[in-house]
Amino acid sequence: MCYCLWLGSGICPPRTIPLGPKKVSLEKSTMERVRDAFCFCCFTSLRYSDLKRLKRTNVFAKYILITTKKDTDTLKIELNKYSKALLNKYKDEKFAGDQPLPVISEQRMNEHLKAIGEICGFNEPVHITYFKGSERVDEIYAKWELMTTHVGRKTFICNSLMLGIPPQIVMKWTGHSDYAAMKPYIAIADSAKSDAMAKFDDK
């Protein structure tokens, strides 16, 4: 089964990489499992630290219930058909710590994600500008070079907003308590809506 690496589009906050819809067919291997674990983050908003701590006892028929490592908030995250399919795929396999999904170390997972991104052809250049003291630094990377586990969480937020889900509801899933933290993502959704409306002018 293929799962979608669907990472939004538009103007993104720093270190958020917009990618296009892609389907990746990989042989059954570590890379396939990395893809599945990453996509689970894309469909649930989980950080790597919480994905790593997720146990089968946290998984219910229609939702997962987890206390986050970063904020110690208890989140109830409803499952959609994609996250359910991923859980179902591994329901008969046993993993360390009673995990419902295969999760390797974050460093190795990031390495594999970059390889997956390169296979997908995410080669568009990404320009990053920052300052070291008063010195401006400009760097250019291929999108796949910037792929990490945290892109999954950012993907979930961007896609939720672009699907029209209110920010207040998205914040319930992500655990954000500060509305200001959502503003960069709302800007992405607004930009995507503007681009979509412009398509009428092409007809």
Side-chain angles (χ1 to χ4, degrees):
M1 185 181 293
C2 294
Y3 295 96
C4 196
L5 295 184
W6 185 22
L7 290 93
S9 60
I11 302 169
C12 295
R15 300 293 179 182
T16 301
I17 3 174
L19 304 176
K22 294 280 184 177
K23 285 191 176 180
V24 187
S25 182
L26 301 170
E27 63 183 38
K28 190 162 187 178
S29 63
T30 301
M31 201 172 285
E32 178 190 11
R33 293 184 167 208
V34 165
R35 177 200 62 191
D36 290 348
F38 175 74
C39 285
F40 191 76
C41 294
C42 292
F43 292 119
T44 61
S45 85
L46 287 183
R47 299 181 181 92
Y48 171 84
S49 58
D50 296 321
L51 176 69
K52 182 71 174 175
R53 295 170 59 251
L54 190 69
K55 299 183 182 299
R56 292 187 187 275
T57 51
N58 299 123
V59 179
F60 298 85
K62 295 184 178 180
Y63 61 90
I64 58 176
L65 197 65
I66 186 167
T67 301
T68 63
K69 182 177 181 179
K70 182 178 180 180
D71 304 309
T72 67
D73 295 325
T74 299
L75 300 179
K76 179 181 180 181
I77 303 172
E78 282 73 18
L79 296 168
N80 52 47
K81 66 179 182 180
Y82 302 106
S83 52
K84 286 179 181 178
L86 287 163
L87 290 169
N88 187 61
K89 179 176 179 177
Y90 295 100
K91 64 182 175 59
D92 297 323
E93 297 194 42
K94 294 186 181 299
F95 303 112
D98 197 32
Q99 293 173 312
L101 294 168
V103 183
I104 59 176
S105 72
E106 187 170 19
Q107 180 180 348
R108 287 185 60 214
M109 189 166 174
N110 285 339
E111 290 171 356
H112 284 292
L113 284 174
K114 288 174 174 57
I116 291 170
E118 190 171 16
I119 290 169
C120 289
F122 295 141
N123 297 316
E124 296 90 341
V126 177
H127 297 256
I128 295 177
T129 300
Y130 60 94
F131 287 86
K132 284 185 176 180
S134 60
E135 180 186 359
R136 172 176 167 146
V137 180
D138 294 287
E139 298 176 342
I140 300 176
Y141 298 90
K143 283 184 179 178
W144 64 263
E145 293 181 280
L146 299 176
M147 287 186 66
T148 66
T149 57
H150 201 60
V151 171
R153 179 172 169 85
K154 292 175 182 290
T155 294
F156 175 86
I157 298 170
C158 292
N159 286 340
S160 296
L161 293 172
M162 284 191 284
L163 287 170
I165 300 172
Q168 295 86 344
I169 293 177
V170 178
M171 291 169 67
K172 292 287 187 181
W173 290 322
T174 63
H176 283 107
S177 57
D178 184 2
Y179 186 79
M182 298 297 292
K183 286 185 177 179
Y185 300 103
I186 294 170
I188 296 170
D190 288 343
S191 174
K193 285 171 61 181
S194 177
D195 291 343
M197 183 60 76
K199 291 181 180 179
F200 280 98
D201 299 332
D202 298 331
K203 300 299 182 182

